[in-house]
Amino acid sequence: SSRVVEIQSQMSERAVELLGLPEDRACLLLDVGCGSGLSGDYISEEGHYWIGMDISPAMLDVAVEREVEGDLLLADMGDGIPFRPGMFDGCISISAVQWLCNADKKSHSPPKRLYRFFSTLYTALARGSRAVLQLYPENSEQLELITAQAMRAGFTGGMVVDYPNSAKAKKFFLCLFVGTSGTLPKGLGTECASEEPQQAKFTNERTRFRNVKGKSVKKSRDWILEKKERRRRQGKEVRADTKYTGRKRRPHF
């Protein structure tokens, strides 16, 4: 449907933007899970070259019919990236990498397949380049599994979350650096975000901090305690404070 195409195009655009490509030269990009080549169209429009790989012959047939400009390869990313070292100036992937978390065959081990994917991708990318992988994680365990294998393969970086406070628009981009630790780009729509840090760094640290005006960040424990204190002063009935007040629940993705 046109809505799906539109979302796909927006995510491709955002992924390419997060790659931070040099503006003065054409780059060669890898598109993992390229499908019918919608992301590739955007890459071509921007004046770059691309090679797309996908596990679905039917999707690649559509790409061929659409006469996309990139080269196409039928391959399973879980078997690794079959290109020579340092070949690509960047890699994007739109809603594909989470499939590696599923064991479709008895012989499939998700951690092994993820590691094979990330380690061969690391090799195929030029030093100083990036991979930006948009994905739909089912839960925080999947995110941790994916990011752990990416780190194990040598990547640095982390998760950029666009519109973290919106159920519909929230998008996860795993932004990975090869050989250089860049600064993680800011997620979109995070200017007025709550106390969640914009980037999921690879730590479980929870920071409690105050915003610019010295007020406690909305919905934080301090903020809740202050609000309850105000209500008590107004003579309203308020539940007693306990160690569970303002406790963070596990994230639902």
Side-chain angles (χ1 to χ4, degrees):
S1 77
S2 63
R3 178 88 189 104
V4 174
V5 170
E6 192 187 328
I7 292 172
Q8 174 96 10
S9 303
Q10 283 169 358
M11 291 194 299
S12 310
E13 237 170 279
R14 177 70 172 138
V16 172
E17 180 190 335
L18 289 169
L19 281 179
L21 298 171
E23 284 171 22
D24 53 352
R25 65 181 178 89
C27 295
L28 176 63
L29 304 182
L30 174 65
D31 183 356
V32 175
C34 63
S36 60
L38 290 171
S39 312
D41 291 346
Y42 179 72
I43 294 170
S44 300
E45 274 170 36
E46 290 291 289
H48 300 297
Y49 301 99
W50 59 281
I51 296 176
M53 54 187 281
D54 203 283
I55 197 170
S56 160
M59 292 297 270
L60 292 174
D61 286 345
V62 176
V64 171
E65 273 167 43
R66 291 180 58 247
E67 299 185 344
V68 297
E69 290 182 27
D71 291 321
L72 304 167
L73 175 75
L74 177 64
D76 174 356
M77 59 182 161
D79 293 338
I81 304 296
F83 292 101
R84 63 171 197 271
M87 181 162 157
F88 294 100
D89 301 307
C91 166
I92 67 163
S93 178
I94 306 300
S95 51
V97 176
Q98 73 273 1
W99 297 115
L100 289 174
C101 295
N102 303 344
D104 298 326
K105 299 191 178 120
K106 275 232 169 78
S107 60
H108 281 182
S109 146
K112 276 189 184 148
R113 283 166 58 74
L114 280 160
Y115 179 69
R116 179 150 187 84
F117 166 66
F118 282 120
S119 56
T120 52
L121 176 61
Y122 189 90
T123 305
L125 285 164
R127 304 304 87 176
S129 65
R130 296 180 188 182
V132 175
L133 316 167
Q134 180 272 325
L135 43 96
Y136 288 109
E138 277 180 23
N139 48 42
S140 54
E141 285 75 34
Q142 269 197 4
L143 271 187
E144 276 161 30
L145 173 66
I146 292 168
T147 48
Q149 296 305 324
M151 301 299 111
R152 213 186 124 206
F155 285 106
T156 54
M159 200 61 72
V160 175
V161 186
D162 282 356
Y163 307 109
N165 303 325
S166 155
K168 270 197 177 147
K170 188 175 188 177
K171 292 286 178 290
F172 293 87
F173 293 86
L174 183 56
C175 192
L176 301 171
F177 305 107
V178 182
T180 53
S181 197
T183 25
L184 264 187
K186 288 264 184 285
L188 298 175
T190 52
E191 295 74 34
C192 54
S194 62
E195 75 167 318
E196 275 186 76
Q198 270 70 68
Q199 272 67 34
K201 294 282 190 292
F202 297 110
T203 67
N204 290 328
E205 288 174 60
R206 284 269 184 275
T207 46
R208 282 165 64 182
F209 52 81
R210 290 167 177 261
N211 64 16
V212 190
K213 292 179 181 152
K215 288 189 185 134
S216 296
V217 174
K218 199 168 181 180
K219 297 290 197 313
S220 66
R221 180 177 163 87
D222 298 335
W223 180 83
I224 292 168
L225 292 173
E226 284 161 20
K227 188 167 177 174
K228 287 170 86 171
E229 197 42 57
R230 274 201 308 280
R231 297 227 150 160
R232 283 193 194 99
R233 284 204 301 269
Q234 292 163 356
K236 292 181 177 154
E237 227 177 274
V238 181
R239 282 188 185 177
D241 299 334
T242 71
K243 64 176 180 175
Y244 299 117
T245 302
R247 165 177 70 159
K248 269 265 183 268
R249 295 183 184 272
R250 286 184 174 280
H252 286 290
F253 289 114

